[in-house]
Amino acid sequence: ARTASGAGGLPVSDLLTLFAREQGEGQTKGDARGISGLQYVFHLLLEAADFGDALREARGDLSLFHAFLKRIVARVRMLRAGEFLVFNGGWLQPDYGHAVMYCVERERSGDRFAFTVINTGEGCEYHEATYRDYPKLKRRAAFSVRNIHRRQMLNDVFWYLLFKMRYGFSKAHEPRQLYEVLLPFLQEEMGEEERRREAAASYTDTRDPAKNDAEAGSRGMGGRKHA
C-alpha cells in the first residue's frame, strides 16, 4: 500500500479518510452519496499512485515489468459494471517526458469497456475541437473510445505497448503511437470467423465467465506481429 506522508506525517490514505469523515459530519442523509463518491475518487487516485510507483520500481528489471503488466490486466478483468480504474500514463523521450491520465471503465452492459485518455498538452491535437470560447479554438481534455470488446481490453500486448512508452526512453515514444496505433486497435471489431468462435466459446463456458476473460486476454493483438 502507498505510505507517502502528508501534513503532520500521516499517510496520504489516512489523510484522505480523515478528510472524507470530516466532510461527512453534520451532513444530511441526502449528502451521503456525494461523500461516498468523494471517497471512491480518492481510492482511484491512491490506486493510480500505487501503480505509478510500481512502474517506476520496475524500470531496468523486466521481470518486475512483466509482473506489473500482469497486475494491470488482472485488475482490469476484476472490474464490475460501472466501475473505473485510473492510471498514470504518457511517454518518455530521451530528453523529455509527457504525462497523461488513462481511465478504464467497465460499461453498464458488463461485457464492454471504455478507455479514456486525459491530456492537455502534446498530442491533444488528436482530441475533438470546441469553439465554445470562439474565436479561440480549444481541445477537449478527454479522448474516449467506447464499446470496447473485452478481447481487446484484456489484450496483454496492448498493455505492454501502452506502458512500454513509460517504462523506457525512446524517440519512438510519441503521441502518434498512442493515438494512431493503440487507440484504433481498441476500436477494431472482430471478423465474422472470430465472432463465431467467440459465440461458441461463450456458449461452452457459460458457467465459467472468468475463463472467457482469461482466454480473451491471452490472445495476441489482433493476430499482429511485433518486434
Side-chain angles (χ1 to χ4, degrees), residues 202-217:
S202 297
Y203 176 78
T204 302
D205 300 322
T206 50
R207 292 179 297 178
D208 189 6
K211 181 178 179 182
N212 287 339
D213 278 346
E215 291 179 351

Side-chain angles (χ1 to χ4, degrees), residues 180-197:
E180 297 186 19
V181 178
L182 295 176
L183 296 185
F185 164 75
L186 293 178
Q187 295 175 303
E188 289 182 1
E189 284 294 334
M190 294 181 293
E192 189 60 33
E193 181 61 29
E194 291 176 300
R195 221 184 321 270
R196 283 197 295 268
R197 286 200 302 267

Side-chain angles (χ1 to χ4, degrees), residues 136-201:
K136 292 183 178 180
L137 170 64
K138 293 188 175 181
R139 299 282 177 176
R140 298 190 184 278
F143 183 109
S144 295
V145 179
R146 307 199 70 85
N147 199 34
I148 303 168
H149 195 279
R150 70 170 182 271
R151 172 183 180 274
Q152 310 291 89
M153 196 73 263
L154 298 177
N155 188 292
D156 53 355
V157 180
F158 166 79
W159 291 103
Y160 166 76
L161 292 175
L162 184 71
F163 282 108
K164 178 177 176 289
M165 292 195 291
R166 289 282 293 178
Y167 178 73
F169 298 86
S170 171
K171 291 183 178 179
H173 298 164
E174 55 182 357
R176 184 170 57 180
Q177 185 175 350
L178 172 63
Y179 289 98
E180 297 186 19
V181 178
L182 295 176
L183 296 185
F185 164 75
L186 293 178
Q187 295 175 303
E188 289 182 1
E189 284 294 334
M190 294 181 293
E192 189 60 33
E193 181 61 29
E194 291 176 300
R195 221 184 321 270
R196 283 197 295 268
R197 286 200 302 267
E198 185 76 15

Side-chain angles (χ1 to χ4, degrees), residues 45 56 67 163 199 209:
L45 295 177
R56 281 190 295 273
F163 282 108

